[in-house]
Amino acid sequence: MAEINVKFGENLRSIPAPATVADAIKAFDRDALKNALAAKLNGEEVDLNKELTGNGQPLTIEPITTDTRDGLEVIRHSTAHLLAAAVLDLFPGTKLGVGPALMDDPRYGFFYDVIAPRNLTEEDLPAIEKKMKSMAKQNLPYRREDIEKAKILEIFEQRDEPLKRELIDEKVVDTASVYYIDNSPFIDFCLGPHVPHTGKLKAFKLLALSGAYWKGDSENQQMQRIYGTAFATQEELDTWVKQREEAEKRDHRRLGRELDLFSISDDYGQGLVLWHPKGGIIRGEMEKLLREELENRGYSFVYTPHIAKRGLWKTSGHEENYADSMYAPTSIEDEEYRLKPMNCPMHIGIYKSSPRSYRDLPQRYSEAGTVYRAELSGTLHGLMRVRGFTVDDAHLFVRPDQIEAEIADCLDLAIKVFQTYGFDKVKFELSVRGDADNKVYLGSDETWRSSEDQLARALDARGIDYERIEGEAAFYGPKIDIKIEDAIGRIWQLGTIQVDWNLPERFQLEYTGEDNLKHRPVMIHRALFGSIERFFGVLIEHYAGAFPLWLAPVQVSVLPITDRINTYAESVANDLKEAGFRVEANLKSDKIGAKIREAQMQKVPYMLVLGDKELEESTVAVRERKEGDIGAMSLEKFKELITQKKSSRSL
């Protein structure tokens, strides 16, 4: 009997052929098979029912389990297929678009784009979800077939699925895989893998319905996008739903309007943010903190134009690789210009303006640079996804031997700044080249190994736990991604630290070395917030609009009980303003309860209630936003209290 050599963990054994991936896992560990949704076969993700073929070399098998990110992605992708199957069953004649898993969107877990015979509404979602649950209980198998291109096109021609045919025409050369859900009208062109049967999908929920364009292009057919999410267990889903309910209370779009922080108006353009005075105060404090830290680290502050000649973007590679996200060119005196989508080429221009010696490096340039991206309207979301935003951008031009030290300093900066805002749970991911086809990466093997080692040593030297992500490096170099966990447990991708050999090569950057020869510097891209607008949105939701004293646009609200106390209230307010605090005196003829409620609604950290007693004793009655009444004290003592909190940036 023929046998197949299989490696499972550290164990190696032969199993009788024929056998599937599931058979192999079962031969080693029955419990592992119970928790498996799919598997990695020699590093490639496959279905559990994939047949094994041996050529004498051991096949390495690693189960993809429910408690991993890969497992969650399999669950969500499979649930997206289940959603499409339910829609096809309930609304015959529906045309299908695409239905991916969403792994980095805190709002949703998957979607499927459809064109139904009639316009679907939110009221249809419960019926679709009910049908999905019914199908899940039937343990319907997911079945894969690898079919020649002509046959796949014929299948979708018979099913009158023009969008699927278009995808197949574009993406398939010879053969491709399709997936069926047995005993359902569903078939899809898909790479997989998927769960073995619908019974593995135990916890899912449909969430929203929106408009979408085929391939995200407004010139194409309009579709409807059904959003949902899915988890391995009902407990995880219930926890997420509670988190979502809390997130809705903290929605930065609502709070931004109620607290008068910012607005986005169709009159000016979708995705273009108008910062109001109060929002501008918070932004000023954010930039002040960052500037202080950067000054201490030897950065230079630069300012660059919002527009540049089109040829610059051809040199940088943006015209070739990023044109869809750039605004169309505009002509000025027969020269074409484009709005900048990134600041990198501008900083390169500053570096190139003078000859550089090895003694001049590193050069550290920082800019709060506003950039512009032609995002589709369907992708825009408050401050989180906009068309014009400001990057807290930095570009470091360094010698190869300086990479580790500069990366270490960037890590220290990130940890210190995020802790100042109260983000104690900071996650780091090191994306490296891995074992992928090296032809897609720039630079020699030696250069890659050296840079990856330097990034890893910088992380290790600070005792930073990090996840090493194989094969996820940028084509121009390895990178560190920085994620934070907010007050209700959501993970946000923010900063990045990237090593780049591509742009120095494209722009022919040089410095003169100790050997008096010309050398190519390495470029480090560093952003902490990524986008000041997006980070501001994260802060609004993290604090639920109740900013700590040092960030609050109004730090103290002075509330006289009656009009005859107004003069004293103005005196107290002016004294605090002269001491450097942001103060408002509410001199309206409202009752004190209404004034307190208004200050509470505006989430002002401190309220000073002033009546006849306070006037006579030259004191202030202090109310704190959360604790309420904390007693009367002299104005000087109150100033000491809040001065310490402000100067230390206390939370």
Side-chain angles (χ1 to χ4, degrees), residues 82-101:
L82 182 62
L83 163 61
V87 172
L88 286 170
D89 189 88
L90 293 172
F91 305 97
T94 294
K95 311 303 178 200
L96 300 181
V98 295

Side-chain angles (χ1 to χ4, degrees), residues 201-373:
L201 307 177
K202 301 181 182 301
F204 51 81
K205 184 176 181 63
L206 298 185
L207 300 168
L209 191 65
S210 73
Y213 291 105
W214 174 237
K215 297 182 180 177
D217 187 339
S218 60
E219 298 297 319
N220 287 340
Q221 195 166 359
Q222 189 160 18
M223 312 184 74
Q224 288 189 284
R225 177 167 293 176
I226 305 174
Y227 284 104
T229 196
F231 290 89
T233 67
Q234 188 63 40
E235 182 181 6
E236 289 174 296
L237 176 60
D238 291 343
T239 298
W240 183 87
V241 169
K242 289 179 182 177
Q243 182 190 76
R244 186 170 186 260
E245 291 170 354
E246 180 62 28
E248 288 175 355
K249 298 176 188 175
R250 295 167 176 258
D251 191 318
H252 72 280
R253 295 166 297 179
R254 177 179 59 80
L255 289 171
R257 182 174 59 254
E258 293 175 357
L259 301 178
D260 196 22
L261 302 176
F262 72 92
S263 60
I264 298 172
S265 168
D266 282 348
D267 293 338
Y268 295 90
Q270 293 184 42
L272 301 176
V273 181
L274 301 176
W275 290 77
H276 294 199
K278 289 182 177 180
I281 288 170
I282 298 172
R283 174 169 173 164
E285 292 291 343
M286 293 164 62
E287 293 179 351
K288 179 182 176 183
L289 167 63
L290 194 56
R291 190 178 186 96
E292 288 174 5
E293 291 296 332
L294 294 177
E295 283 176 344
N296 291 336
R297 288 171 160 79
Y299 282 73
S300 300
F301 298 92
V302 300
Y303 303 88
T304 61
H306 292 224
I307 192 169
K309 284 186 176 181
R310 188 175 186 180
L312 180 74
W313 308 112
K314 292 179 179 178
T315 302
S316 69
H318 288 92
E319 279 274 348
E320 179 184 355
N321 301 306
Y322 208 72
D324 289 347
S325 295
M326 297 175 71
Y327 281 93
T330 184
S331 294
I332 305 172
E333 296 179 347
D334 298 325
E335 289 273 14
E336 285 193 310
Y337 289 76
R338 294 192 90 150
L339 285 168
K340 64 178 179 180
M342 297 181 186
N343 298 302
C344 329
M346 306 297 196
H347 294 183
I348 286 171
I350 296 171
Y351 180 90
K352 288 192 73 173
S353 65
S354 299
R356 306 292 177 181
S357 160
Y358 70 95
R359 294 187 181 91
D360 299 324
L361 303 186
Q363 292 281 307
R364 307 182 188 97
Y365 304 148
S366 176
E367 177 182 16
T370 302
V371 299
Y372 303 89
R373 309 273 175 89

Side-chain angles (χ1 to χ4, degrees), residues 87 290 298 345 379 415-416 421 425 439 454 549:
V87 172
L290 194 56
T379 66
I415 292 169
K416 183 173 182 181
Y421 287 103
K425 296 180 180 178
K439 292 178 182 178
Q454 285 179 303
L549 179 77

Side-chain angles (χ1 to χ4, degrees), residues 23-82:
D23 294 331
I25 295 173
K26 184 178 180 181
F28 285 91
D29 187 339
R30 289 177 177 269
D31 289 335
L33 180 60
K34 291 178 183 178
N35 295 322
L37 301 168
K40 292 182 181 179
L41 177 62
N42 291 341
E44 178 186 355
E45 293 189 354
V46 299
D47 298 313
L48 290 177
N49 60 8
K50 180 177 177 60
E51 291 190 7
L52 299 176
T53 56
N55 60 1
Q57 296 298 318
L59 302 175
T60 300
I61 293 179
E62 177 188 352
I64 295 176
T65 54
T66 57
D67 57 348
T68 63
R69 178 184 170 90
D70 288 340
L72 181 59
E73 186 169 7
V74 171
I75 287 171
R76 289 180 173 179
H77 193 183
S78 301
T79 309
H81 278 209
L82 182 62

Side-chain angles (χ1 to χ4, degrees), residues 483-500:
K483 300 180 178 181
I484 58 97
E485 182 177 324
D486 71 7
I488 59 173
R490 294 172 300 179
I491 304 297
W492 298 93
Q493 163 73 59
L494 294 178
T496 185
I497 305 167
Q498 302 177 354
V499 177
D500 183 0

